[in-house]
Each structure stands twice: as structure tokens, then as C-alpha cells.
Amino acid sequence: MDLGCAEETSSFMSGFIRECGGYVVIDGGFATELERHGADLNDPLWSAKCLIDSPHLVRRVHLDYLDAGANIILTASYQATIQGFEAKGFSREEAEALLRKSVEIACEAREIYYDQCAKESWGIMENVKKSRRPILVVASVGSYGAYLADGSEYSGIYGDTITLETLKDFHRRRVQILANSGADLIAFETIPNKLEAKAYAALLEEEGIEIPAWFSFNSKDGINVVSGDPIAECASIADSCKKVVAVGVNCTPPRFIHGLVASIRKITSKPVLIYPNSGEMYDAQNKQWVESSGDVDEDFVAYIVKWQEAGASLFGGCCRTSPKTIRAISKALSDKN
Ligand code: MET
Ligand SMILES: [Zn+2]
């Protein structure tokens, strides 16, 4: 797909949303779902560790989300970095191959899923092929803080030594590889501060990245992203970047989503995406999810329709959500629309 033309880029997501019937279902928590399947992710590579030792589990989780109704599956590359793989003793070439592998496995899962759908529909109605649900494979890019694996993806505090250039250099090669891997889009996820959003926007332009991207921030107060930078300022960086086709929030407690959607909507006319976590907080020191001490987030599926009314068009889940959550989101939206 050649998205060199700015107009094609800007209509990419609105076209996809239309194709999906007016709203899009994103998948749910990936790493936490791998853990539920028994993977031990206590490692600086987190979910990317499974690219090395259990690719079958990665495929399984993608398939579970497709079965649950997802139109978008995010690759296991969130914490897959060349620097992280090299620290484990892999060569540069091997590290780059592992990044590509994250996209290959997701594409393979999509093919398997389509084959299954085709077989099932042949059984039911001879000669009538069930129409293929539109599905995108989206390459996940986690923040510099995710690579550090010290909890700074939830504080956004990188210190004075980290500049725009440091962040661009850190992400450059990975973004180039993922952009040419066969993925349909790049998701910059859990962006914790304005500086990193600026670095991504600059990289997309400078490197002439030819697939579209989305920017997704995380917040712990509903007004700012986790670093304290206002969500409105972050959203406007995304709004100004031609290559960005959707803006939103992920890995954020459900109780903040409504306000964040409204704030982002005021800044941009690009489609808004949301994929909250379960409402639990990550305790970086003890490396575990703990119940939030603030307001309790009840099952957020009940609010999906409200978030759609507030202006969101893409809906999924982040950490500690599961295929069950995605199935329920899919149902809530199809009942309503
Ligand atoms: C800390 S947010 C993680 C996002 C990633 N796509 C995952 O679900 O694993
Ligand atoms: Zn998350």
C-alpha cells in the first residue's frame, strides 16, 4: 500500500471505520493475556520474550482476539527493541528478524482465521463464501520507558539527559523495520509525555514512513498524560502530523476515559481510539498489578456506548483485559449500532 499521498493517508482510518460498520473493535491486553496462558514475562523484554521462546502462544492469543471479534490485532513488539534484544546477546540482524517475526505471526494468525471462517461458511451455505471481516495487523511500538522496564512508562519522567534527539535515535531503526514488515499501521502506544510524541512525529516525517500511524497516550488523572503534560497539547502534536490517522488513550483506568475522549475531540477531527486497562495500577517495584486505591472501575464494557457518544470510534482493552472483554465490547457495540 502506497500512502505517499497525504489525502490517502488522512482517509485511511475513516475508510476502515466505514468498512467495519461505523466502529472498530481493537484487541485486548496482549502481554497480560500471554501470562494467563502461562508465559513467564518477568523479563526486560516482557511480551517480546515470547517471540523468542513461545511464538505458538503469540499466535494463540492473536487468534483468541480474532475469535472474540477484533478488527485490529496489535503485534507482540511493544517491548521488542533492537537494544533490548542485543542486551540478551542477539546480533543486530537477529534482533531485526525478531521484530519482523512479530508482524509475520500476526499476519499468519489473520490468514488462519480467514481460512477458518471460509471453511465454516462453506459448511453452512454451499457456494457462498462468508464475507471477510476487515482486519488490520498493527505494529506496536512501546515507549522508551517501556524499554527501560523501570516503570517510567507510567511516570513519563525520563530526566534531563533524554532529549528529542535521544528518543528519535532510540526509536529510528525499529520504526523503519516495522514500517517495512507488512504491517498495515504503526501504533505508538502508552505514550507518557509530549517529548516522545514529538519524537515520533518527527521520525514519521524524516524517515518518510509509508504506512499510517496512531498515537495513543496514557493518563492517570483524566486531564494530563502520565508525565503531567496536558492531553490537549499531546493530542495537538498528533493532530499536526499528517501520517497520524487516529489519536487516543490506552492503558488508562476506565473512569478517566470519558473526559479524555471529550478533550481529544476538541483538538482534532481525526478518529479517536480508546483501549483502557482493567483499572488496576501497575506496581513497578514489585512488578505486579494491584487494585487501584481510588474509585473502583466496574466492568467498563457498560460505558462503551457512552464513549462512542462522546466521540470515540475504535474500542478495545489494554492490560488485564481479555478476549472475554473484547467479545463483550463487540456485542455491546453491535447491539447498539
Ligand atoms: C503497558 S501497555 C501494553 C500494550 C500492549 N499492546 C499489550 O497489550 O501488551
Ligand atoms: Zn496496557
PDB file of all heavy atoms in Angstrom, residues 122-153:
ATOM      1  N   TRP A 122     -18.493 -22.451   4.306  1.00  0.00           N
ATOM      2  CA  TRP A 122     -18.739 -23.455   3.256  1.00  0.00           C
ATOM      3  C   TRP A 122     -19.619 -24.561   3.796  1.00  0.00           C
ATOM      4  O   TRP A 122     -20.468 -25.094   3.117  1.00  0.00           O
ATOM      5  CB  TRP A 122     -17.432 -24.051   2.740  1.00  0.00           C
ATOM      6  CG  TRP A 122     -16.813 -23.186   1.690  1.00  0.00           C
ATOM      7  CD1 TRP A 122     -15.937 -22.160   1.897  1.00  0.00           C
ATOM      8  CD2 TRP A 122     -17.025 -23.249   0.278  1.00  0.00           C
ATOM      9  NE1 TRP A 122     -15.599 -21.581   0.705  1.00  0.00           N
ATOM     10  CE2 TRP A 122     -16.256 -22.230  -0.309  1.00  0.00           C
ATOM     11  CE3 TRP A 122     -17.810 -24.061  -0.542  1.00  0.00           C
ATOM     12  CZ2 TRP A 122     -16.236 -22.006  -1.675  1.00  0.00           C
ATOM     13  CZ3 TRP A 122     -17.783 -23.842  -1.901  1.00  0.00           C
ATOM     14  CH2 TRP A 122     -16.994 -22.818  -2.474  1.00  0.00           C
ATOM     15  N   GLY A 123     -19.430 -24.867   5.089  1.00  0.00           N
ATOM     16  CA  GLY A 123     -20.235 -25.916   5.706  1.00  0.00           C
ATOM     17  C   GLY A 123     -21.706 -25.523   5.784  1.00  0.00           C
ATOM     18  O   GLY A 123     -22.596 -26.335   5.617  1.00  0.00           O
ATOM     19  N   ILE A 124     -21.924 -24.256   6.040  1.00  0.00           N
ATOM     20  CA  ILE A 124     -23.300 -23.798   6.263  1.00  0.00           C
ATOM     21  C   ILE A 124     -24.026 -23.561   4.928  1.00  0.00           C
ATOM     22  O   ILE A 124     -25.101 -24.070   4.683  1.00  0.00           O
ATOM     23  CB  ILE A 124     -23.321 -22.496   7.096  1.00  0.00           C
ATOM     24  CG1 ILE A 124     -22.665 -22.746   8.465  1.00  0.00           C
ATOM     25  CG2 ILE A 124     -24.757 -22.018   7.337  1.00  0.00           C
ATOM     26  CD1 ILE A 124     -22.275 -21.482   9.187  1.00  0.00           C
ATOM     27  N   MET A 125     -23.395 -22.763   4.097  1.00  0.00           N
ATOM     28  CA  MET A 125     -24.060 -22.417   2.827  1.00  0.00           C
ATOM     29  C   MET A 125     -23.131 -22.754   1.678  1.00  0.00           C
ATOM     30  O   MET A 125     -22.132 -22.067   1.481  1.00  0.00           O
ATOM     31  CB  MET A 125     -24.332 -20.918   2.784  1.00  0.00           C
ATOM     32  CG  MET A 125     -25.564 -20.513   3.538  1.00  0.00           C
ATOM     33  SD  MET A 125     -25.722 -18.740   3.442  1.00  0.00           S
ATOM     34  CE  MET A 125     -24.469 -18.214   4.578  1.00  0.00           C
ATOM     35  N   GLU A 126     -23.455 -23.755   0.984  1.00  0.00           N
ATOM     36  CA  GLU A 126     -22.618 -24.159  -0.141  1.00  0.00           C
ATOM     37  C   GLU A 126     -22.478 -23.019  -1.149  1.00  0.00           C
ATOM     38  O   GLU A 126     -23.445 -22.292  -1.413  1.00  0.00           O
ATOM     39  CB  GLU A 126     -23.251 -25.369  -0.814  1.00  0.00           C
ATOM     40  CG  GLU A 126     -22.297 -26.562  -0.814  1.00  0.00           C
ATOM     41  CD  GLU A 126     -22.959 -27.746  -1.446  1.00  0.00           C
ATOM     42  OE1 GLU A 126     -23.946 -28.219  -0.834  1.00  0.00           O
ATOM     43  OE2 GLU A 126     -22.500 -28.150  -2.500  1.00  0.00           O
ATOM     44  N   ASN A 127     -21.308 -22.884  -1.666  1.00  0.00           N
ATOM     45  CA  ASN A 127     -21.032 -21.869  -2.693  1.00  0.00           C
ATOM     46  C   ASN A 127     -21.141 -20.410  -2.241  1.00  0.00           C
ATOM     47  O   ASN A 127     -21.018 -19.508  -3.031  1.00  0.00           O
ATOM     48  CB  ASN A 127     -21.927 -22.037  -3.930  1.00  0.00           C
ATOM     49  CG  ASN A 127     -21.611 -23.334  -4.637  1.00  0.00           C
ATOM     50  OD1 ASN A 127     -20.456 -23.783  -4.590  1.00  0.00           O
ATOM     51  ND2 ASN A 127     -22.605 -23.929  -5.249  1.00  0.00           N
ATOM     52  N   VAL A 128     -21.434 -20.200  -1.004  1.00  0.00           N
ATOM     53  CA  VAL A 128     -21.472 -18.804  -0.541  1.00  0.00           C
ATOM     54  C   VAL A 128     -20.332 -18.605   0.447  1.00  0.00           C
ATOM     55  O   VAL A 128     -20.313 -19.197   1.507  1.00  0.00           O
ATOM     56  CB  VAL A 128     -22.807 -18.459   0.155  1.00  0.00           C
ATOM     57  CG1 VAL A 128     -22.823 -16.992   0.588  1.00  0.00           C
ATOM     58  CG2 VAL A 128     -23.960 -18.762  -0.768  1.00  0.00           C
ATOM     59  N   LYS A 129     -19.403 -17.766   0.081  1.00  0.00           N
ATOM     60  CA  LYS A 129     -18.269 -17.509   0.971  1.00  0.00           C
ATOM     61  C   LYS A 129     -18.635 -16.407   1.946  1.00  0.00           C
ATOM     62  O   LYS A 129     -19.116 -15.354   1.546  1.00  0.00           O
ATOM     63  CB  LYS A 129     -17.049 -17.077   0.146  1.00  0.00           C
ATOM     64  CG  LYS A 129     -16.014 -18.150   0.053  1.00  0.00           C
ATOM     65  CD  LYS A 129     -14.698 -17.552  -0.370  1.00  0.00           C
ATOM     66  CE  LYS A 129     -13.655 -18.644  -0.448  1.00  0.00           C
ATOM     67  NZ  LYS A 129     -12.425 -18.189  -1.016  1.00  0.00           N
ATOM     68  N   LYS A 130     -18.455 -16.698   3.213  1.00  0.00           N
ATOM     69  CA  LYS A 130     -18.743 -15.676   4.208  1.00  0.00           C
ATOM     70  C   LYS A 130     -17.839 -14.472   3.928  1.00  0.00           C
ATOM     71  O   LYS A 130     -16.665 -14.635   3.634  1.00  0.00           O
ATOM     72  CB  LYS A 130     -18.401 -16.260   5.576  1.00  0.00           C
ATOM     73  CG  LYS A 130     -18.904 -15.449   6.746  1.00  0.00           C
ATOM     74  CD  LYS A 130     -18.779 -16.335   7.963  1.00  0.00           C
ATOM     75  CE  LYS A 130     -18.520 -15.590   9.238  1.00  0.00           C
ATOM     76  NZ  LYS A 130     -18.212 -16.492  10.329  1.00  0.00           N
ATOM     77  N   SER A 131     -18.399 -13.288   3.991  1.00  0.00           N
ATOM     78  CA  SER A 131     -17.561 -12.127   3.679  1.00  0.00           C
ATOM     79  C   SER A 131     -16.495 -11.974   4.762  1.00  0.00           C
ATOM     80  O   SER A 131     -16.730 -12.245   5.927  1.00  0.00           O
ATOM     81  CB  SER A 131     -18.409 -10.873   3.574  1.00  0.00           C
ATOM     82  OG  SER A 131     -18.897 -10.555   4.846  1.00  0.00           O
ATOM     83  N   ARG A 132     -15.326 -11.538   4.312  1.00  0.00           N
ATOM     84  CA  ARG A 132     -14.214 -11.418   5.242  1.00  0.00           C
ATOM     85  C   ARG A 132     -14.371 -10.172   6.095  1.00  0.00           C
ATOM     86  O   ARG A 132     -14.487  -9.079   5.566  1.00  0.00           O
ATOM     87  CB  ARG A 132     -12.917 -11.267   4.447  1.00  0.00           C
ATOM     88  CG  ARG A 132     -12.502 -12.522   3.771  1.00  0.00           C
ATOM     89  CD  ARG A 132     -11.216 -12.249   3.041  1.00  0.00           C
ATOM     90  NE  ARG A 132     -10.508 -13.488   2.818  1.00  0.00           N
ATOM     91  CZ  ARG A 132      -9.187 -13.594   2.816  1.00  0.00           C
ATOM     92  NH1 ARG A 132      -8.433 -12.542   3.010  1.00  0.00           N
ATOM     93  NH2 ARG A 132      -8.605 -14.749   2.601  1.00  0.00           N
ATOM     94  N   ARG A 133     -14.377 -10.351   7.411  1.00  0.00           N
ATOM     95  CA  ARG A 133     -14.409  -9.178   8.292  1.00  0.00           C
ATOM     96  C   ARG A 133     -13.104  -8.415   8.096  1.00  0.00           C
ATOM     97  O   ARG A 133     -12.042  -9.039   8.066  1.00  0.00           O
ATOM     98  CB  ARG A 133     -14.542  -9.646   9.731  1.00  0.00           C
ATOM     99  CG  ARG A 133     -14.695  -8.514  10.720  1.00  0.00           C
ATOM    100  CD  ARG A 133     -14.991  -9.024  12.116  1.00  0.00           C
ATOM    101  NE  ARG A 133     -13.791  -9.351  12.863  1.00  0.00           N
ATOM    102  CZ  ARG A 133     -13.571 -10.526  13.425  1.00  0.00           C
ATOM    103  NH1 ARG A 133     -14.427 -11.507  13.288  1.00  0.00           N
ATOM    104  NH2 ARG A 133     -12.470 -10.729  14.120  1.00  0.00           N
ATOM    105  N   PRO A 134     -13.145  -7.078   7.942  1.00  0.00           N
ATOM    106  CA  PRO A 134     -11.882  -6.368   7.761  1.00  0.00           C
ATOM    107  C   PRO A 134     -11.004  -6.471   9.018  1.00  0.00           C
ATOM    108  O   PRO A 134     -11.485  -6.265  10.128  1.00  0.00           O
ATOM    109  CB  PRO A 134     -12.300  -4.914   7.534  1.00  0.00           C
ATOM    110  CG  PRO A 134     -13.782  -4.894   7.481  1.00  0.00           C
ATOM    111  CD  PRO A 134     -14.305  -6.202   7.949  1.00  0.00           C
ATOM    112  N   ILE A 135      -9.753  -6.828   8.805  1.00  0.00           N
ATOM    113  CA  ILE A 135      -8.815  -6.975   9.940  1.00  0.00           C
ATOM    114  C   ILE A 135      -7.488  -6.313   9.595  1.00  0.00           C
ATOM    115  O   ILE A 135      -6.908  -6.575   8.535  1.00  0.00           O
ATOM    116  CB  ILE A 135      -8.574  -8.471  10.259  1.00  0.00           C
ATOM    117  CG1 ILE A 135      -9.869  -9.134  10.763  1.00  0.00           C
ATOM    118  CG2 ILE A 135      -7.452  -8.630  11.310  1.00  0.00           C
ATOM    119  CD1 ILE A 135      -9.810 -10.645  10.819  1.00  0.00           C
ATOM    120  N   LEU A 136      -7.008  -5.467  10.490  1.00  0.00           N
ATOM    121  CA  LEU A 136      -5.690  -4.852  10.294  1.00  0.00           C
ATOM    122  C   LEU A 136      -4.683  -5.465  11.257  1.00  0.00           C
ATOM    123  O   LEU A 136      -5.001  -5.750  12.419  1.00  0.00           O
ATOM    124  CB  LEU A 136      -5.737  -3.348  10.588  1.00  0.00           C
ATOM    125  CG  LEU A 136      -6.580  -2.440   9.691  1.00  0.00           C
ATOM    126  CD1 LEU A 136      -6.447  -0.992  10.162  1.00  0.00           C
ATOM    127  CD2 LEU A 136      -6.152  -2.571   8.229  1.00  0.00           C
ATOM    128  N   VAL A 137      -3.455  -5.624  10.752  1.00  0.00           N
ATOM    129  CA  VAL A 137      -2.330  -6.010  11.620  1.00  0.00           C
ATOM    130  C   VAL A 137      -1.565  -4.729  11.927  1.00  0.00           C
ATOM    131  O   VAL A 137      -1.080  -4.042  11.031  1.00  0.00           O
ATOM    132  CB  VAL A 137      -1.428  -7.051  10.921  1.00  0.00           C
ATOM    133  CG1 VAL A 137      -0.101  -7.200  11.656  1.00  0.00           C
ATOM    134  CG2 VAL A 137      -2.145  -8.394  10.850  1.00  0.00           C
ATOM    135  N   VAL A 138      -1.521  -4.390  13.198  1.00  0.00           N
ATOM    136  CA  VAL A 138      -0.945  -3.114  13.621  1.00  0.00           C
ATOM    137  C   VAL A 138       0.327  -3.373  14.437  1.00  0.00           C
ATOM    138  O   VAL A 138       0.302  -4.115  15.419  1.00  0.00           O
ATOM    139  CB  VAL A 138      -2.005  -2.327  14.433  1.00  0.00           C
ATOM    140  CG1 VAL A 138      -1.385  -1.114  15.093  1.00  0.00           C
ATOM    141  CG2 VAL A 138      -3.145  -1.899  13.512  1.00  0.00           C
ATOM    142  N   ALA A 139       1.425  -2.757  13.985  1.00  0.00           N
ATOM    143  CA  ALA A 139       2.717  -2.981  14.655  1.00  0.00           C
ATOM    144  C   ALA A 139       2.826  -2.091  15.889  1.00  0.00           C
ATOM    145  O   ALA A 139       2.775  -0.864  15.796  1.00  0.00           O
ATOM    146  CB  ALA A 139       3.859  -2.675  13.685  1.00  0.00           C
ATOM    147  N   SER A 140       2.970  -2.737  17.030  1.00  0.00           N
ATOM    148  CA  SER A 140       3.033  -1.991  18.288  1.00  0.00           C
ATOM    149  C   SER A 140       4.440  -1.453  18.557  1.00  0.00           C
ATOM    150  O   SER A 140       5.431  -2.161  18.398  1.00  0.00           O
ATOM    151  CB  SER A 140       2.615  -2.935  19.424  1.00  0.00           C
ATOM    152  OG  SER A 140       3.033  -2.420  20.666  1.00  0.00           O
ATOM    153  N   VAL A 141       4.492  -0.193  18.991  1.00  0.00           N
ATOM    154  CA  VAL A 141       5.760   0.394  19.450  1.00  0.00           C
ATOM    155  C   VAL A 141       5.525   0.963  20.848  1.00  0.00           C
ATOM    156  O   VAL A 141       4.714   1.874  21.025  1.00  0.00           O
ATOM    157  CB  VAL A 141       6.229   1.523  18.490  1.00  0.00           C
ATOM    158  CG1 VAL A 141       7.419   2.274  19.075  1.00  0.00           C
ATOM    159  CG2 VAL A 141       6.591   0.951  17.123  1.00  0.00           C
ATOM    160  N   GLY A 142       6.204   0.406  21.821  1.00  0.00           N
ATOM    161  CA  GLY A 142       6.116   0.925  23.189  1.00  0.00           C
ATOM    162  C   GLY A 142       7.105   2.066  23.366  1.00  0.00           C
ATOM    163  O   GLY A 142       7.993   2.289  22.531  1.00  0.00           O
ATOM    164  N   SER A 143       6.972   2.771  24.460  1.00  0.00           N
ATOM    165  CA  SER A 143       7.799   3.957  24.692  1.00  0.00           C
ATOM    166  C   SER A 143       9.220   3.590  25.132  1.00  0.00           C
ATOM    167  O   SER A 143       9.518   2.438  25.462  1.00  0.00           O
ATOM    168  CB  SER A 143       7.150   4.810  25.776  1.00  0.00           C
ATOM    169  OG  SER A 143       7.150   4.096  26.990  1.00  0.00           O
ATOM    170  N   TYR A 144      10.067   4.591  25.170  1.00  0.00           N
ATOM    171  CA  TYR A 144      11.422   4.425  25.704  1.00  0.00           C
ATOM    172  C   TYR A 144      11.334   3.911  27.156  1.00  0.00           C
ATOM    173  O   TYR A 144      12.087   3.034  27.560  1.00  0.00           O
ATOM    174  CB  TYR A 144      12.136   5.780  25.636  1.00  0.00           C
ATOM    175  CG  TYR A 144      13.510   5.800  26.255  1.00  0.00           C
ATOM    176  CD1 TYR A 144      14.543   5.027  25.733  1.00  0.00           C
ATOM    177  CD2 TYR A 144      13.773   6.611  27.362  1.00  0.00           C
ATOM    178  CE1 TYR A 144      15.806   5.048  26.301  1.00  0.00           C
ATOM    179  CE2 TYR A 144      15.044   6.643  27.925  1.00  0.00           C
ATOM    180  CZ  TYR A 144      16.057   5.864  27.401  1.00  0.00           C
ATOM    181  OH  TYR A 144      17.296   5.885  27.966  1.00  0.00           O
ATOM    182  N   GLY A 145      10.352   4.432  27.879  1.00  0.00           N
ATOM    183  CA  GLY A 145      10.154   3.997  29.266  1.00  0.00           C
ATOM    184  C   GLY A 145       9.830   2.511  29.361  1.00  0.00           C
ATOM    185  O   GLY A 145      10.209   1.846  30.319  1.00  0.00           O
ATOM    186  N   ALA A 146       9.129   1.987  28.361  1.00  0.00           N
ATOM    187  CA  ALA A 146       8.812   0.554  28.363  1.00  0.00           C
ATOM    188  C   ALA A 146      10.098  -0.247  28.204  1.00  0.00           C
ATOM    189  O   ALA A 146      10.305  -1.271  28.862  1.00  0.00           O
ATOM    190  CB  ALA A 146       7.836   0.224  27.247  1.00  0.00           C
ATOM    191  N   TYR A 147      10.989   0.226  27.339  1.00  0.00           N
ATOM    192  CA  TYR A 147      12.282  -0.450  27.153  1.00  0.00           C
ATOM    193  C   TYR A 147      13.076  -0.437  28.455  1.00  0.00           C
ATOM    194  O   TYR A 147      13.711  -1.426  28.832  1.00  0.00           O
ATOM    195  CB  TYR A 147      13.067   0.237  26.025  1.00  0.00           C
ATOM    196  CG  TYR A 147      14.567   0.093  26.102  1.00  0.00           C
ATOM    197  CD1 TYR A 147      15.193  -1.114  25.774  1.00  0.00           C
ATOM    198  CD2 TYR A 147      15.355   1.171  26.506  1.00  0.00           C
ATOM    199  CE1 TYR A 147      16.576  -1.242  25.859  1.00  0.00           C
ATOM    200  CE2 TYR A 147      16.736   1.043  26.589  1.00  0.00           C
ATOM    201  CZ  TYR A 147      17.346  -0.160  26.270  1.00  0.00           C
ATOM    202  OH  TYR A 147      18.700  -0.286  26.364  1.00  0.00           O
ATOM    203  N   LEU A 148      13.038   0.706  29.168  1.00  0.00           N
ATOM    204  CA  LEU A 148      13.795   0.787  30.423  1.00  0.00           C
ATOM    205  C   LEU A 148      13.246  -0.206  31.446  1.00  0.00           C
ATOM    206  O   LEU A 148      13.979  -0.655  32.328  1.00  0.00           O
ATOM    207  CB  LEU A 148      13.716   2.205  31.006  1.00  0.00           C
ATOM    208  CG  LEU A 148      14.374   3.324  30.180  1.00  0.00           C
ATOM    209  CD1 LEU A 148      14.142   4.679  30.860  1.00  0.00           C
ATOM    210  CD2 LEU A 148      15.880   3.078  30.005  1.00  0.00           C
ATOM    211  N   ALA A 149      11.964  -0.535  31.303  1.00  0.00           N
ATOM    212  CA  ALA A 149      11.319  -1.513  32.196  1.00  0.00           C
ATOM    213  C   ALA A 149      11.508  -1.150  33.663  1.00  0.00           C
ATOM    214  O   ALA A 149      11.704  -2.014  34.515  1.00  0.00           O
ATOM    215  CB  ALA A 149      11.841  -2.928  31.897  1.00  0.00           C
ATOM    216  N   ASP A 150      11.443   0.146  33.942  1.00  0.00           N
ATOM    217  CA  ASP A 150      11.594   0.609  35.328  1.00  0.00           C
ATOM    218  C   ASP A 150      10.349   1.373  35.799  1.00  0.00           C
ATOM    219  O   ASP A 150      10.388   2.103  36.785  1.00  0.00           O
ATOM    220  CB  ASP A 150      12.830   1.522  35.442  1.00  0.00           C
ATOM    221  CG  ASP A 150      12.678   2.773  34.572  1.00  0.00           C
ATOM    222  OD1 ASP A 150      11.677   2.863  33.817  1.00  0.00           O
ATOM    223  OD2 ASP A 150      13.555   3.652  34.644  1.00  0.00           O
ATOM    224  N   GLY A 151       9.266   1.208  35.066  1.00  0.00           N
ATOM    225  CA  GLY A 151       8.018   1.874  35.445  1.00  0.00           C
ATOM    226  C   GLY A 151       7.895   3.281  34.872  1.00  0.00           C
ATOM    227  O   GLY A 151       6.874   3.939  35.068  1.00  0.00           O
ATOM    228  N   SER A 152       8.897   3.765  34.135  1.00  0.00           N
ATOM    229  CA  SER A 152       8.805   5.159  33.666  1.00  0.00           C
ATOM    230  C   SER A 152       7.807   5.342  32.520  1.00  0.00           C
ATOM    231  O   SER A 152       7.480   6.468  32.182  1.00  0.00           O
ATOM    232  CB  SER A 152      10.172   5.753  33.313  1.00  0.00           C
ATOM    233  OG  SER A 152      10.853   4.973  32.388  1.00  0.00           O
ATOM    234  N   GLU A 153       7.288   4.237  31.984  1.00  0.00           N
ATOM    235  CA  GLU A 153       6.206   4.422  31.012  1.00  0.00           C
ATOM    236  C   GLU A 153       4.938   4.889  31.737  1.00  0.00           C
ATOM    237  O   GLU A 153       4.007   5.379  31.114  1.00  0.00           O
ATOM    238  CB  GLU A 153       5.947   3.130  30.213  1.00  0.00           C
ATOM    239  CG  GLU A 153       5.187   2.063  30.968  1.00  0.00           C
ATOM    240  CD  GLU A 153       5.419   0.649  30.452  1.00  0.00           C
ATOM    241  OE1 GLU A 153       4.826   0.283  29.435  1.00  0.00           O
ATOM    242  OE2 GLU A 153       6.195  -0.081  31.098  1.00  0.00           O
TER     243      GLU A 153
END
